[in-house]
């Protein structure tokens, strides 16, 4: 069984920084794309950032220049460095990944349980 576990959320003042981490565990052969999504109260879940296995990244316009996604393939981790945080960044942040398990013939999409980020003075 594959699991994704996020950490690093919390309360931060506007203009502050947080670093989210997501660790994948289980019988994993390979992890393809890894993403961060977020969902604010009353809003749909939205894609924040994506990183391919080779390190190609893409970001939502709302976070470009402020957030940086990175990954460590050996450690099976993905990170989201969030700088210059704004109140509108407040949301539950979810890790998402396409994982090829040893027992599978094709990748399966997995979600973490989410971590709360609150930006408020």
């Amino acid at each position: 069984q594959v699991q994704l576990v996020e950490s690093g959320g919390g309360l931060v003042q506007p203009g502050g920084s947080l670093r989210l981490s997501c660790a994948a565990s289980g019988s994993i052969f390979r992890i393809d794309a890894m993403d961060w999504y977020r969902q604010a109260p009353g809003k749909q879940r939205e894609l924040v950032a994506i990183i391919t296995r080779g390190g190609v990244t893409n970001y939502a316009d709302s976070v470009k220049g402020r957030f940086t996604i990175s990954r460590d393939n050996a450690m099976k981790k993905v990170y989201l460095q969030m700088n210059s945080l704004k109140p509108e960044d407040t949301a539950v942040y979810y890790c998402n990944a396409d994982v090829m398990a040893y027992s599978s013939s094709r990748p399966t999409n997995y979600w973490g349980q989410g971590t709360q980020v609150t930006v408020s003075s």
Side-chain angles (χ1 to χ4, degrees), residues 19 28 38 85 100-101:
R19 189 191 193 211
I28 297 171
R38 67 186 180 186
L85 283 160
M100 173 79 85

Side-chain angles (χ1 to χ4, degrees), residues 8-121:
L11 173 65
V12 63
Q13 291 187 340
S17 297
L18 280 176
R19 189 191 193 211
L20 305 182
S21 299
C22 172
S25 63
S27 183
I28 297 171
F29 173 69
R30 188 187 73 238
I31 304 176
D32 295 330
M34 303 185 82
D35 324 312
W36 286 97
Y37 283 75
R38 67 186 180 186
Q39 187 166 20
K43 295 188 176 181
Q44 288 190 328
R45 192 172 296 189
E46 63 173 353
L47 178 63
V48 175
I50 181 171
I51 184 167
T52 68
R53 181 171 176 80
V56 177
T57 60
N58 201 6
Y59 298 89
D61 287 342
S62 59
V63 307
K64 280 181 182 177
R66 300 189 298 122
F67 291 10
T68 302
I69 189 171
S70 60
R71 64 188 286 171
D72 183 330
N73 289 333
M75 296 296 293
K76 300 182 180 64
K77 289 185 175 181
V78 64
Y79 306 97
L80 186 68
Q81 177 67 43
M82 304 185 294
N83 298 328
S84 302
L85 283 160
K86 304 175 181 180
E88 52 263 43
D89 294 318
T90 296
V92 178
Y93 284 70
Y94 297 91
C95 176
N96 176 270
D98 293 324
V99 180
M100 173 79 85
Y102 281 104
S103 59
S104 298
S105 58
R106 59 184 179 180
T108 301
N109 189 255
Y110 290 91
W111 289 91
Q113 82 288 352
T115 185
Q116 177 70 46
V117 171
T118 302
V119 185
S120 175
S121 55

